[in-house]
Amino acid sequence: FPTLLLVVYHMLVSESMTKLTGTNNLNGLVPMCALAGGMLGALGLGFAIPAERAVGLLSRLWAFPVERVSALIGRLLAEGARTLISTALVTAIGVAMGFRFHGNVLAFIAYLFVPVLVILVVATVVITLALKVGPDGNAMMTWVGTASIGLVFGSSGIAPVEVFPSWLQPLIQYQ
């Protein structure tokens, strides 16, 4: 999904954004798509947990002679690995489209792992909410998903901060 988002958004908006701002928006769009993909994965995890709880899968996992938290830690590690691979793929597609990374190898490694750290925090919050709300938590997870995606698209990854209305610029700047 993040790769498709990058390609489609760039195809639809890049020419208009270049005319409007004078710059190509790939420098903000590529990292934003990496984060958006990770957030959608974390939200999918939040939707899966209540369903697994309802059918008794979590209870069965917690009955095994292992740490109860191991199933949730495994999910977090899998989410981190998926985000790392997704970030690398989105970046590779972005480079093919004209994105250029400015920095050394250590900065690139940090660039790859920042989305992973952000998504691990988001996934931890989502898992906590999903476990707290119980099996009927789909409505709450939908609201969390809507807010999260709204925050991703209301960021400087879409357009420069100066393009947004002045009353919204402080939020966009620190988004």
Side-chain angles (χ1 to χ4, degrees):
F1 176 76
T3 307
L4 179 65
L5 176 68
L6 172 66
V7 170
V8 169
Y9 189 84
H10 186 67
M11 287 173 51
L12 294 176
V13 180
S14 66
E15 189 176 323
S16 300
M17 193 60 63
T18 303
K19 287 179 183 176
L20 182 66
T21 64
T23 60
N24 188 343
N25 67 334
L26 274 175
N27 286 338
L29 189 60
V30 171
M32 191 266 321
C33 286
L35 281 174
M39 281 191 161
L40 286 173
L43 292 170
L45 177 66
F47 279 108
I49 287 178
E52 291 173 358
R53 180 184 238 176
V55 298
L57 179 63
L58 290 181
S59 298
R60 286 188 294 249
L61 288 174
W62 290 336
F64 286 143
V66 294
E67 288 290 325
R68 290 176 57 123
V69 75
S70 64
L72 299 177
I73 289 175
R75 288 172 183 268
L76 284 175
L77 291 175
E79 199 60 39
R82 189 194 59 75
T83 301
L84 180 64
I85 292 167
S86 174
T87 300
L89 179 64
V90 165
T91 303
I93 299 297
V95 167
M97 294 170 63
F99 173 71
R100 297 295 174 252
F101 187 82
H102 305 284
N104 58 20
V105 173
L106 291 176
F108 183 71
I109 291 170
Y111 164 82
L112 289 175
F113 280 96
V114 165
V116 173
L117 294 174
V118 170
I119 296 312
L120 287 178
V121 171
V122 169
T124 301
V125 170
V126 166
I127 287 172
T128 303
L129 284 173
L131 288 172
K132 189 73 174 163
V133 297
D136 297 326
N138 283 342
M140 181 169 188
M141 294 312 299
T142 300
W143 283 106
V144 169
T146 302
S148 298
I149 299 304
L151 290 172
V152 166
F153 286 104
S155 71
S156 59
I158 296 292
V161 175
E162 300 79 33
V163 175
F164 289 94
S166 60
W167 60 271
L168 193 57
Q169 287 181 6
L171 175 67
I172 302 298
Q173 183 178 0
Y174 296 107
Q175 174 61 354

